[in-house]
Amino acid sequence: MKERLFLAQNTKNKIDDGKTTWSSPSNIALVKYWGKRDKQIPENASVSFTLNNCKTITTLTYSKKEDNSTFSFDVFLDGNKQDDFKPKIETFFKRITSYLSFLKDFHFKIETENTFPHSSGIASSASGMSALSACLMAIDKELNPEMSADFILKKTSFLARLGSGSACRSLEGDLVVWGTHNSIPESTNLFGVKFPFNTHNNFKNYQDTILLVDKGEKQVSSTIGHNLMHNHPFAQQRFTQANQNLEKITEILQNGNLDEFIALVESEALTLHAMMMTSMPYFILMKPNTLEIINKIWAFRKATNSKVCFTLDAGANVHVLYPEKEKNTVLQFIKNELVAYCQNGHYICDNIGKGLEQL
Ligand code: DP6
């Protein structure tokens, strides 16, 4: 599929105002996206579990305006005006302006809330940008009613990617692949596609308990981190490795081999952070408690033969991943041994979800 298929069309219908509300979840990558080219094109393919409970709910209210030379919008988080979100949304609008005909025709009120605390250190860009893209596509559909559901889903993911790369993987469950890859038919750098093979029962309703180790602002944003992969001494090896890992995990997700799953997922997490530590300038997003938790998970696994493992995103929080049938024992382990390393004892229980929902 080519980018130009998503370009704005001459609209069939006219609308003056309206309101639409969508909820979209966060996702957790198993094979990580770290490094991108211009226009939000990933350097390697990635795959993620879609989450269920960590969501953004966005209501977009739109009304026709006279002057259509500029963007006009206000953003509210939990009912409070949030002007510091505006530059990111302005950049997003600029990037997507050739794909939506109406962006300068309306004044938008963007009201957003997260089901997880804003100060949890959980990135809201994946859920936030995908929810906003879904709202915008609802308007696009009103203007162009003949678009198919499949096309709308692809274009929503295409737009979300231009807001935040990982956002393009949040629209559907259970697993979404983003990035052109030989093992995944129809995969593309332009939008996320549902993992096309049957996943083994071991991965059904997989659990993700997010341990909030550090709820502060990250010292280095993902966007800066991605950029540091340009001129990174290990960049090419990393992109090759990630693509090889995607090939391997495609098999693992079908054959259900949890030991291989653990080795691949934990290695991906540590490699992501190794890339940060070997960037110039270098940085470390893990905290001492991140390492304490990792060591406790390894000790628990050794002692009990549990299939629990961890992954990390670009921060200090730890995602504890485990099969549904270990839910009770692992939760007990978390309460007994890991909560002590969480800031104010906070953690969030999540599991695989279904993606976008219109409310
Ligand atoms: C470590 O999608 O937040 O979570 O495209 O610059 O918005 P931008 O970056 P972002 O990067 C996510 C990186 C990651 C890995 C992943 O989700 O694959």
Side-chain angles (χ1 to χ4, degrees):
M1 205 150 179
K2 291 276 183 301
E3 220 162 321
R4 64 183 142 72
L5 286 171
F6 296 117
L7 286 171
Q9 308 293 324
N10 289 331
T11 57
K12 306 264 181 319
N13 291 349
K14 298 235 172 306
I15 43 175
D16 288 328
D17 50 43
K19 190 175 179 171
T20 181
T21 302
W22 290 79
S23 125
S24 188
S26 187
N27 65 70
I28 181 68
L30 304 171
V31 173
K32 309 288 181 181
Y33 147 60
W34 198 247
K36 61 179 166 184
R37 281 173 254 149
D38 199 21
K39 298 192 180 158
Q40 297 284 100
I41 297 299
E43 290 280 11
N44 62 263
S46 57
V47 62
S48 51
F49 275 142
T50 306
L51 295 181
N52 191 38
N53 301 330
C54 290
K55 290 182 182 166
T56 298
I57 297 149
T58 299
T59 298
L60 187 66
T61 311
Y62 44 101
S63 47
K64 247 304 155 33
K65 62 184 174 65
E66 291 295 308
D67 166 22
N68 60 3
S69 63
T70 54
F71 302 122
S72 168
F73 63 91
D74 288 312
V75 198
F76 297 82
L77 175 67
D78 299 327
N80 302 314
K81 209 153 184 256
Q82 202 75 33
D83 284 342
D84 53 331
F85 282 13
K86 287 187 92 170
K88 193 155 188 196
I89 294 179
E90 177 96 21
T91 306
F92 177 48
F93 277 11
K94 278 187 194 144
R95 280 188 195 154
I96 63 173
T97 195
S98 52
Y99 305 106
L100 295 173
S101 58
F102 55 84
L103 281 181
K104 290 182 178 164
D105 296 343
F106 294 107
H107 172 75
F108 296 104
K109 183 178 182 192
I110 305 166
E111 291 169 286
T112 184
E113 59 189 78
N114 297 322
T115 56
F116 47 90
H118 181 57
S119 59
S120 60
I122 296 185
S124 56
S125 63
S127 52
M129 284 299 176
S130 51
L132 180 57
S133 300
C135 291
L136 293 168
M137 281 307 293
I139 305 177
D140 206 31
K141 182 174 167 49
E142 261 201 80
L143 293 167
N144 302 291
E146 76 292 352
M147 283 188 296
S148 71
D150 177 61
F151 180 82
I152 291 172
L153 194 64
K154 286 177 175 152
K155 187 165 172 182
T156 309
S157 176
F158 174 86
L159 297 179
R161 181 196 103 236
L162 292 168
S164 179
S166 56
C168 78
R169 298 187 312 235
S170 273
L171 316 188
E172 297 173 272
D174 303 351
L175 287 151
V176 177
V177 177
W178 169 39
T180 308
H181 194 282
N182 282 338
S183 306
I184 310 289
E186 319 262 311
S187 59
T188 162
N189 287 337
L190 298 181
F191 49 83
V193 297
K194 204 172 152 71
F195 183 71
F197 307 110
N198 280 336
T199 40
H200 192 277
N201 273 341
N202 283 349
F203 297 108
K204 294 276 147 48
N205 201 25
Y206 224 66
Q207 306 290 303
D208 178 6
T209 301
I210 307 161
L211 306 181
L212 305 179
V213 170
D214 184 40
K215 304 195 222 164
E217 277 282 303
K218 279 188 268 182
Q219 306 112 300
V220 181
S221 73
S222 289
T223 304
I224 293 175
H226 284 291
N227 282 336
L228 291 174
M229 288 303 279
H230 299 136
N231 306 319
H232 189 295
F234 309 135
Q236 287 317 317
Q237 292 96 314
R238 163 59 196 155
F239 304 143
T240 304
Q241 178 204 40
N243 284 324
Q244 285 166 349
N245 278 345
L246 198 104
E247 189 174 337
K248 285 187 196 152
I249 206 167
T250 298
E251 289 303 315
I252 295 169
L253 290 166
Q254 295 173 82
N255 68 27
N257 188 325
L258 289 172
D259 292 323
E260 287 181 9
F261 177 81
I262 292 169
L264 190 149
V265 166
E266 292 190 345
S267 163
E268 273 290 316
L270 295 179
T271 304
L272 168 72
H273 284 258
M275 290 300 111
M276 300 175 191
M277 290 189 234
T278 47
S279 299
M280 193 55 81
Y282 42 82
F283 58 105
I284 301 180
L285 295 183
M286 289 187 284
K287 298 282 182 201
N289 281 350
T290 312
L291 297 180
E292 294 285 359
I293 290 169
I294 291 174
N295 280 308
K296 287 275 179 192
I297 290 175
W298 286 342
F300 179 77
R301 209 160 63 212
K302 200 161 178 203
T304 65
N305 262 325
S306 161
K307 302 299 179 196
V308 65
C309 73
F310 71 86
T311 188
L312 308 167
D313 57 16
N317 296 334
V318 182
H319 288 249
V320 184
L321 300 176
Y322 47 102
E324 188 180 26
K325 67 172 188 213
E326 289 195 34
K327 193 169 167 176
N328 294 337
T329 42
V330 174
L331 258 181
Q332 204 50 54
F333 157 64
I334 290 172
K335 284 181 194 153
N336 293 346
E337 297 197 42
L338 305 184
V339 164
Y341 301 107
C342 299
Q343 209 174 342
N344 306 323
H346 284 168
Y347 62 93
I348 298 174
C349 291
D350 212 334
N351 50 268
I352 290 183
K354 295 196 167 47
L356 268 186
E357 248 183 315
Q358 184 166 23
L359 302 182

